[in-house]
Amino acid sequence: MELKDQVAIVTGGSRGIGAAIAKELAAAGAKVVVNYRTRSEEAEALAAEIGGIAFQADVSTTEGCEALLAAAEALGPVDILVNNAGITSDGLMLRMTDEQWDSVLNVNAGGCFRMSRAVLPSMVRRRSGSIVNLASVSALRGNAGQVNYAASKAAIVALTRSLAKEVARRKVRVNAVAPGFIVTDMTSVLPDQVLDGAKEFIPMRRLGQPEEIAPIVRFLCGPGAAYLTGQVIAVDGGLSV
């Protein structure tokens, strides 16, 4: 129970990797706020299961982030922020629209920026806190057909390292996890031949599970990572090696 009574926000926490992280943090004793944008039934069910609360907010807007923070602070000062909310809108760059580019950057990188900015004043004042950002192996090696997604996740990597330097003296830690191909709704829409082809490039020859990402996030939030900041940990079966 290394996170006992700590207040944690998990954005995009209703399913997939976010849901696995919410469960893992709750198992460590945290009071978890499960953020969602549209999947209310899943979020409410998860919150009930882990003894947390579900809160609807669009983290691509400042107003949404401020509302989410206020809901979380009803439980106490926020100790942990996991920026997991993200979307895709894939396509070759030659055919990609401005809307596809803007929406992905605004949710993925913009949500990470706005939500981190919202929680930082309290963390800095209390000289305590951990922010974990979900990047992607796409940020480290690129991925054809995902220039917007890869760019948004690369921005998260740069944000993580830069922010870590800004707030380290205030004892606030900022790290990132870069998942590889994980079994989620995002990968479930891909044809089998694409997934089989991806496995050929993964040294472990398989896709990962959300439950294999969550323990790394839990570690980064806990006391065992007290001297760890500004790092990007790839959890990808060796894909980025």
Side-chain angles (χ1 to χ4, degrees):
M1 302 292 284
E2 69 269 23
L3 304 178
K4 183 173 174 58
D5 294 331
Q6 293 192 33
V7 177
I9 296 173
V10 180
T11 69
S14 64
R15 57 196 170 105
I17 293 174
I21 292 170
K23 292 177 182 178
E24 190 77 20
L25 298 184
K31 295 181 283 188
V32 182
V33 179
V34 179
N35 160 248
Y36 68 97
R37 187 170 65 170
T38 58
R39 294 176 176 260
S40 59
E41 291 184 2
E42 293 178 0
E44 293 288 353
L46 175 60
E49 177 185 344
I50 65 175
I53 64 171
F55 190 82
Q56 183 178 28
D58 181 355
V59 297
S60 70
T61 70
T62 298
E63 295 77 15
C65 291
E66 290 175 348
L68 176 55
L69 175 62
E73 287 183 330
L75 302 176
V78 174
D79 303 287
I80 296 166
L81 169 64
V82 180
N83 284 308
N84 171 72
I87 63 171
T88 59
S89 185
D90 297 345
L92 295 175
M93 188 172 184
L94 283 170
R95 299 169 184 165
M96 186 169 290
T97 65
D98 287 354
E99 194 280 328
Q100 284 178 288
W101 173 268
D102 291 342
S103 62
V104 171
L105 268 291
N106 198 34
V107 172
N108 298 2
C112 181
F113 160 70
R114 293 183 181 89
M115 202 63 229
S116 297
R117 183 179 60 182
V119 303
L120 274 175
S122 174
M123 288 184 175
V124 167
R125 186 170 58 252
R126 291 181 291 115
R127 292 177 176 268
S128 176
S130 176
I131 297 174
V132 179
N133 301 319
L134 270 293
S136 169
V137 69
S138 296
L140 308 179
R141 64 191 303 272
N143 197 27
Q146 286 192 319
V147 292
N148 50 0
Y149 183 78
S152 72
K153 294 301 185 176
I156 288 173
V157 169
L159 182 154
T160 297
R161 291 172 172 158
S162 298
L163 182 57
K165 290 184 176 182
E166 290 186 12
V167 297
R169 292 185 180 181
R170 298 291 182 173
K171 298 183 179 179
V172 177
R173 296 180 296 107
V174 188
N175 292 289
V177 175
F181 279 92
I182 308 298
V183 178
T184 64
D185 287 354
M186 285 186 181
T187 56
S188 66
V189 299
L190 298 174
D192 289 341
Q193 59 266 31
V194 173
L195 296 177
D196 290 340
K199 293 175 187 177
E200 292 300 313
F201 292 96
I202 301 171
M204 286 189 175
R205 294 295 191 270
R206 68 174 179 87
L207 304 187
Q209 298 292 329
E211 292 75 17
E212 294 176 300
I213 305 298
I216 308 301
V217 175
R218 173 177 173 169
F219 167 71
L220 291 173
C221 295
Y227 198 54
L228 191 64
T229 195
Q231 301 306 303
V232 180
I233 301 176
V235 187
D236 61 3
L239 181 60
S240 59
V241 173

